[in-house]
Amino acid sequence: MHDWQALIRKRDFPMIENAQCRGKTVVYLDNAATTQASRPVIWTMENYYMRQHANVHRGVYCMSEEATAAMEETRQLVAEFIGAASPDEVVFTSGTTQSINFLAEAFAASVLKPGDLVLATEMEHNSNLLPWLSACSRSGAELALVPVTADGELDLEELGRLLEKKPKLLAVCAVSNVLGTVNPLREIAEMAHAAGAAVAVDAAQAMRHGLPGVCSLGCDFLSFSAHKIMGPTGSGILYGKREWLERLAPPHTGGGMVSSMQWPEINYEDIPLKFEAGTPNLAGIAGFGAAIEYIQALGRERISEYEVSLIKYAEKRLSGIPGIQILGSPAQRFGALSFTVPPLQAYDVALMLSAEGFALRSGRHCANLLHEKMGVSASVRLSPAFYNTKNEIELLAAALERLLAAAKKAGVPVGGVKNG
Ligand code: PMP
């Protein structure tokens, strides 16, 4: 274990260091689902409720002004974190799912016409698929999918062919939440823009990886959730290029986004407030800011380098265990690795590992299409973060070896071998 890691586990993530479940030490390896909040995030949220809690953009009294300033500070932090040209391009949401639904609804209302085309990919989380399906069915547009290769990469040749049909938008993840595939976003964005398509990036799994800034990446929209970067749940953002946000009508309306009204004529606030109807999740936004500061202080390069080394180690170690089949073999993996242990059910494997203290996800991880494409009905997913260690991966590998040996002894033909 690195010195910095021993320190942060003890000081900032007591849950990682000390959690026990049914008498076993918990090894938390489900970070693609959610990461543990760091202590500074928890303190910041507590401090918000203890000292600052008041509604924003409305009151002229001190607490409201402070709450407004704190929220706008976080907006500035997010803008710097993602490399946006201005904080006005950052809209607070409840998370990636809401951001994408918001965008898809706005596209359906303001951009898409019958006969238009939208592209998504077979690799997408349902949160980056179903909102587009619904937007297309509402507007009469068509949704087509960029295929995934057997290795678990996007088929860029096929993307090129689909782009010839001049889609209005390409929705694509930066990193797959199942395979960990890191998509070549710059190349993809260049291809899409050359064909006149806007690019909307689902960056839910990519923000610890140190994605290039949105300006240099050239994407038009980007969404992510605070809880994937050691922040709170219920807080996230939608980034949109200024020209786009100014053009799109707000899909949600209500208080806080009206600048003037001469009934029934309504003028909205400028961006980003025109997209933030209602009272925002202020404590969540405060915690979001603390999460960004925490990640920045640790350094995204260091985090990314270390997490890549962990996933590489896991891939090497698990692929050496006869009976384990790892899904895909993308050139670059980050954050997640999924596998099956046929003929055992993924659910049963995760349950048996859970009895030994391992917190892993089983199922389709909200990526039904991708599982179908990879020819499996479900998988077990291991998703480490920077507070995990090689030793924890080693403990998991040893537990899997024990599980396989027990299954063989019981006559289950794991690894194609009976009574091995
Ligand atoms: N997209 C991807 C790639 C994800 O991994 C997730 C979370 N599992 C989401 C979208 C949805 O994020 P949230 O649940 O925070 O809205």
Side-chain angles (χ1 to χ4, degrees):
M1 198 184 309
H2 296 270
D3 289 349
W4 62 267
Q5 220 188 2
L7 174 73
I8 63 162
R9 278 172 72 101
K10 223 179 172 64
R11 187 191 62 188
D12 303 334
F13 297 98
M15 160 74 194
I16 288 293
E17 184 70 356
N18 302 322
Q20 298 275 316
C21 186
R22 295 185 208 105
K24 301 271 180 196
T25 300
V26 173
V27 177
Y28 186 77
L29 290 167
D30 195 19
N31 294 285
T34 204
T35 58
Q36 297 302 321
S38 70
R39 252 206 238 265
V41 166
I42 299 163
W43 282 331
T44 302
M45 291 174 74
E46 186 188 354
N47 184 55
Y48 168 80
Y49 274 123
M50 299 291 280
R51 298 195 175 81
Q52 267 179 341
H53 187 45
N55 216 326
V56 287
H57 297 305
R58 283 166 206 158
V60 289
Y61 53 92
C62 196
M63 277 161 67
S64 176
E65 281 172 357
E66 276 177 22
T68 306
M71 172 167 153
E72 294 311 317
E73 256 170 51
T74 298
R75 203 189 298 278
Q76 177 70 40
L77 276 175
V78 176
E80 285 163 17
F81 190 59
I82 63 172
S86 153
D88 294 347
E89 296 175 320
V90 173
V91 176
F92 286 116
T93 65
S94 68
T96 312
T97 304
Q98 197 202 23
S99 301
I100 298 170
N101 272 284
F102 212 67
L103 177 61
E105 276 180 50
F107 250 67
S110 308
V111 180
L112 298 176
K113 302 269 175 311
D116 279 349
L117 179 65
V118 171
L119 298 182
T121 89
E122 288 179 342
M123 190 186 284
E124 299 313 310
H125 187 284
N126 290 339
S127 289
N128 199 26
L129 209 50
L130 306 193
W132 295 111
L133 191 60
S134 156
C136 287
S137 81
R138 232 173 309 149
S139 60
E142 188 201 334
L143 180 67
L145 299 176
V146 181
V148 168
T149 67
D151 285 344
E153 307 263 13
L154 286 181
D155 184 336
L156 294 190
E157 267 181 40
E158 198 50 42
L159 169 63
R161 275 191 281 279
L162 285 165
L163 286 170
E164 285 168 16
K165 298 183 180 175
K166 302 284 173 211
K168 286 282 182 284
L169 176 135
L170 167 67
V172 61
C173 61
V175 171
S176 156
N177 68 311
V178 176
L179 309 175
T181 309
V182 179
N183 286 324
L185 278 188
R186 264 212 188 99
E187 186 183 345
I188 290 171
E190 260 175 44
M191 287 170 75
H193 283 151
V199 177
V201 174
D202 170 354
Q205 295 295 342
M207 297 316 294
R208 297 194 313 274
H209 189 35
L211 204 63
V214 283
C215 290
S216 71
L217 198 58
C219 64
D220 301 277
F221 303 98
L222 179 136
S223 309
F224 76 99
S225 309
H227 71 99
K228 312 269 192 197
I229 57 162
M230 289 70 196
T233 51
S235 187
I237 61 111
L238 169 67
Y239 156 84
K241 256 188 200 155
R242 175 179 288 280
E243 309 83 275
W244 270 116
L245 291 186
E246 282 174 348
R247 175 177 164 195
L248 295 175
H252 298 178
T253 49
M257 46 91 78
V258 172
S259 74
S260 65
M261 190 189 286
Q262 272 185 325
W263 190 257
E265 216 36 41
I266 296 161
N267 292 312
Y268 298 130
E269 293 278 11
D270 289 337
I271 64 164
L273 296 188
K274 84 168 182 184
F275 292 106
E276 292 178 357
T279 301
N281 175 4
L282 299 168
I285 291 171
F288 193 175
I292 289 179
E293 282 177 329
Y294 187 87
I295 296 285
Q296 298 284 50
L298 206 54
R300 269 196 284 182
E301 229 170 75
R302 171 157 66 171
I303 291 172
S304 179
E305 197 181 300
Y306 176 72
E307 288 200 25
V308 167
S309 79
L310 266 191
I311 209 86
K312 277 195 176 146
Y313 182 74
E315 182 166 11
K316 194 162 168 228
R317 184 67 177 84
L318 264 53
S319 62
I321 302 177
I324 292 190
Q325 293 182 3
I326 293 177
L327 299 192
S329 52
Q332 251 194 303
R333 253 193 233 273
F334 181 78
L337 180 77
S338 296
F339 60 93
T340 57
V341 192
L344 299 178
Q345 297 295 316
Y347 174 82
D348 295 335
V349 174
L351 200 62
M352 287 186 267
L353 290 169
S354 161
E356 297 212 29
F358 296 95
L360 295 173
R361 185 57 62 110
S362 68
R364 284 173 281 279
H365 325 303
C366 304
N368 301 50
L369 273 186
L370 184 58
H371 276 80
E372 202 176 297
K373 183 70 184 212
M374 301 313 280
V376 294
S377 60
S379 63
V380 183
R381 180 180 69 186
L382 127 87
S383 57
F386 57 79
Y387 40 53
N388 291 117
T389 63
K390 275 198 177 144
N391 185 48
E392 288 176 324
I393 306 285
E394 191 47 49
L395 289 172
L396 172 71
L400 279 164
E401 282 168 339
R402 283 196 299 280
L403 191 156
L404 279 152
K408 267 190 214 166
K409 208 167 162 198
V412 180
V414 281
V417 184
K418 230 180 162 183
N419 294 329

